[in-house]
Amino acid sequence: QVQLVESGGGLVQAGGSLRLSCAASGSIFSINAMGWYRQAPGKQRELVASITRRGSTNYADAVKGRFTISRDNAKNTVYLQMNSLKPEDTAVYHCNAEGWLESDFSSWGQGTQVTVSS
C-alpha cells in the first residue's frame, strides 16, 4: 500500500525550530490526506496537523501559529515546520497517510523523536 519514512527530529532549545519530513512511497495515488501526530510519554497520541489532497490544512490549537504543514507533490513528501518550540512539544512525531485502495487504509511511519529543552 503506502510506506512512510520520517526524518528531521532531534534536540533543540526552547524557542528554536525543526523541520520534519515524511517521504511516501507505494500507492501514492490512493492517499486522500496526510498528517502528523505526536505521542508524549504517558499520553495518548494526538493529531498535530493534517493536509488533504486538495491542500486544506488543519491544526491542533496547541500548535496554531507556530507549526506549518506543507507538501511537495513532486517529491511525494510532507513537511512539518515547527517554530517557537516549547518543552511541551517534546514527543515522538509520527507521519500518517489515509486513503482508499480496495478498502480504507491508514499507514504510519516509524516515528521521529523531538526533544525541546528548557
Side-chain angles (χ1 to χ4, degrees):
Q1 290 186 336
V2 174
Q3 295 77 44
L4 304 172
V5 178
E6 302 108 329
S7 61
L11 173 64
V12 65
Q13 288 187 332
S17 299
L18 283 174
R19 189 177 79 157
L20 305 183
S21 300
C22 174
S25 61
S27 301
I28 306 298
F29 61 90
S30 65
I31 297 174
N32 291 327
M34 294 185 68
W36 287 95
Y37 289 72
R38 67 186 181 187
Q39 187 166 19
K43 294 187 177 181
Q44 290 187 331
R45 187 173 295 186
E46 62 177 1
L47 174 68
V48 176
S50 63
I51 185 166
T52 68
R53 176 189 295 272
R54 294 187 177 184
S56 297
T57 58
N58 181 49
Y59 296 92
D61 288 343
V63 307
K64 284 181 180 177
R66 299 188 297 123
F67 291 10
T68 302
I69 189 170
S70 62
R71 65 184 186 187
D72 184 333
N73 291 333
K75 296 182 179 180
N76 297 324
T77 299
V78 170
Y79 303 97
L80 184 68
Q81 178 66 44
M82 305 185 293
N83 299 328
S84 302
L85 282 161
K86 304 175 181 180
E88 50 263 45
D89 294 319
T90 295
V92 177
Y93 284 69
H94 295 269
C95 181
N96 171 265
E98 295 184 346
W100 189 93
L101 185 64
E102 298 184 357
S103 63
D104 291 331
F105 71 83
S106 180
S107 297
W108 293 91
Q110 81 286 357
T112 184
Q113 176 70 46
V114 172
T115 302
V116 184
S117 63
S118 57

